[in-house]
Amino acid sequence: MTTAAPELLTVPEVMARLKVGRTKVYDLIRTHRLVSIKVDGCRRIPDHAVRDFIAGHIGEAA
């Protein structure tokens, strides 16, 4: 069984998915509410981290 590597998103892609600005994305990363990694100095966010963030907020709202 093989597992696909998570898709890594750029900050602008996360901005578009969450409909927020650049500063907000970096704030979420800084406060550890959104997981990210650095690849050669560039910040990347796994797709599953964005989905988990959204799911967590939907759960809180319910």
Side-chain angles (χ1 to χ4, degrees):
M1 181 170 105
T2 60
T3 58
E7 180 181 356
L8 296 176
L9 304 172
T10 64
V11 169
E13 289 170 331
V14 175
M15 289 167 51
R17 287 192 183 194
L18 297 179
K19 310 280 193 279
V20 297
R22 182 177 195 260
T23 302
K24 184 61 178 178
V25 173
Y26 279 106
D27 180 57
L28 293 171
I29 292 168
R30 182 181 53 79
T31 58
H32 305 288
R33 291 183 285 168
L34 192 58
V35 175
S36 72
I37 62 171
K38 274 193 147 184
V39 178
D40 291 333
C42 298
R43 189 61 65 182
R44 296 292 181 255
I45 301 95
D47 178 63
H48 71 80
V50 176
R51 285 186 277 117
D52 291 348
F53 176 81
I54 293 168
H57 279 70
I58 290 172
E60 289 176 7

